[in-house]
Amino acid sequence: MLYGKEAARNEILSQVEEFEKRYNKKVVFGSVLGSISKGVERYDSDYDSRFLYFDVTKQEIVRWDTHVHEGGGK
């Protein structure tokens, strides 16, 4: 489950899907960081998340961080 506004959640999940397709990776875990994860966000809070994905070519788990403002964009 991702916290925050629906538009921001959809943007993050869209980026995850695009990342998996473009780089042939598989995201295995995701988390939300910052004020949104604690339920104390403001109307202008940004959206920070961190994902772990499996890199088939290197046979290892790798971290991928993303940052999205509630209004959209990276």
Side-chain angles (χ1 to χ4, degrees), residues 27-62:
V27 172
V28 295
F29 178 80
S31 65
V32 177
L33 311 167
S35 62
I36 290 175
S37 69
K38 297 172 181 66
V40 295
E41 73 274 7
R42 299 183 325 212
Y43 73 94
D44 62 345
S45 291
D46 56 3
Y47 202 108
D48 298 298
S49 56
R50 180 169 290 156
F51 295 90
L52 295 177
Y53 64 89
F54 186 72
D55 186 334
V56 178
T57 60
K58 295 180 181 178
Q59 295 292 305
E60 65 184 4
I61 299 286
V62 185

